Amino acid sequence: MTAETTAPPAPAPTSRTLRQLVRYTLIGGSGVALDLVVFLLLHNLAGMDEQLANVISTTLGIANNFVLNARFTFDRRDRMVLRFLRFYAVGLTGIALTYLLFLVFTDGLGIDANLVKAGSLPLVLALQFVLNRKWSFA
């Protein structure tokens, strides 16, 4: 009698998506922390305009998140330049969304730029997860 080995069943798509979302969120947290700290330093300590500080801080967060997500969330190591360009393009949607929020809430309503930046992060994270999952790491 021979022992038969079977591979474990493949995870259900919703289970895989949920795992990816959790990892993406955790990694996103590191990118958000980096983004926010750099923004606060550039805007509050260096006196840089919030729009320029946002572009620089967000770019650093995007690069951090790309490297970690490629490795740990989506387990992709092929076509890295193309994937990074797509990931960065998705990141630009976050910059554009935050730009609009600054225009409305900081410039239009006088709300502190630090609060607007912090408040924009969950919305940007959700939008970017969907876009990156479907386009950057598909």
Side-chain angles (χ1 to χ4, degrees):
M1 189 175 228
T2 61
E4 200 172 306
T5 59
T6 59
T14 55
S15 172
R16 181 173 183 230
T17 301
L18 182 58
R19 271 196 328 272
Q20 286 178 335
L21 178 59
V22 168
R23 288 178 186 166
Y24 188 89
T25 301
L26 292 173
I27 288 168
S30 72
V32 164
L34 177 63
D35 180 358
L36 191 55
V37 166
V38 171
F39 175 81
L40 293 172
L41 290 172
L42 293 175
H43 179 61
N44 294 327
L45 291 181
M48 189 178 287
D49 176 73
E50 71 264 10
Q51 298 291 5
L52 181 56
N54 183 56
V55 169
I56 293 168
S57 67
T58 301
T59 297
L60 290 174
I62 290 168
N64 172 78
N65 290 356
F66 174 76
V67 170
L68 296 176
N69 277 308
R71 172 69 175 98
F72 298 110
T73 303
F74 301 108
D75 194 29
R76 299 294 219 161
R77 291 180 190 84
D78 61 320
R79 304 180 312 192
M80 293 299 279
V81 172
L82 176 62
R83 289 187 191 287
F84 178 76
L85 292 174
R86 287 180 177 177
F87 195 86
Y88 195 81
V90 169
L92 292 176
T93 66
I95 292 173
L97 178 57
T98 305
Y99 173 81
L100 294 174
L101 293 172
F102 279 138
L103 286 178
V104 171
F105 293 104
T106 300
D107 298 346
L109 300 175
I111 297 173
D112 184 79
N114 299 317
L115 294 175
V116 174
K117 176 66 175 181
S120 73
L121 296 172
L123 180 61
V124 169
L125 181 115
L127 172 66
Q128 290 178 338
F129 172 73
V130 171
L131 293 174
N132 279 317
R133 186 170 188 277
K134 297 290 185 188
W135 188 47
S136 303
F137 291 105

